[in-house]
Amino acid sequence: MTGADIAADMVGFAGSVVIVVQYYRSLRGRIDTAGVGYPLGNLCGSLMVMASLCVHFNMPSLCIELFWSGVSLYGVIAALWRRSRR
């Protein structure tokens, strides 16, 4: 494995950890899922996984991460919209 391979794996694993931790925090009631933080964390994690896919491509993983990013982006926009309307 090259340094780029290892770096891509580390970024992908870190992104996966971010997504799973966000989900765990939501199940425990430790994060406001209607706020900006939850979807923003998920978006960042998903983008990190997609970055790793640039080195180790996998079509099914790319598809789920594209959907995950889209839903997370929608969540960020919706949360910001709700915040601006208060």
Side-chain angles (χ1 to χ4, degrees), residues 18-38:
V18 168
I19 292 169
V20 171
V21 167
Q22 289 288 86
Y23 182 61
Y24 176 76
R25 290 178 69 207
S26 75
L27 290 176
R28 300 282 301 170
R30 307 259 182 202
I31 190 168
D32 178 15
T33 58
V36 176
Y38 181 70

Side-chain angles (χ1 to χ4, degrees), residues 1-3 7 9 13 15 22 25 27-28 35 38-39 42 45-46 50 52-53 60-61 64 70 74 79 81 83:
M1 283 181 97
T2 67
D9 284 346
F13 281 127
Q22 289 288 86
R25 290 178 69 207
L27 290 176
R28 300 282 301 170
Y38 181 70
N42 279 308
S46 181
M50 281 196 285
S52 74
L53 291 173
S61 294
I64 196 165
Y74 169 80
W81 177 260
R83 181 186 288 177

Side-chain angles (χ1 to χ4, degrees), residues 8-85:
D9 284 346
M10 290 176 65
V11 169
F13 281 127
S16 295
V17 168
V18 168
I19 292 169
V20 171
V21 167
Q22 289 288 86
Y23 182 61
Y24 176 76
R25 290 178 69 207
S26 75
L27 290 176
R28 300 282 301 170
R30 307 259 182 202
I31 190 168
D32 178 15
T33 58
V36 176
Y38 181 70
L40 187 60
N42 279 308
L43 179 60
C44 290
S46 181
L47 292 174
M48 292 168 74
V49 172
M50 281 196 285
S52 74
L53 291 173
C54 291
V55 176
H56 303 292
F57 184 74
N58 178 313
M59 183 59 82
S61 294
L62 178 62
C63 289
I64 196 165
E65 293 308 325
L66 285 171
F67 283 113
W68 198 267
S69 292
V71 170
S72 296
L73 184 59
Y74 169 80
V76 169
I77 292 168
L80 292 173
W81 177 260
R82 282 190 302 274
R83 181 186 288 177
S84 73
R85 297 195 51 130

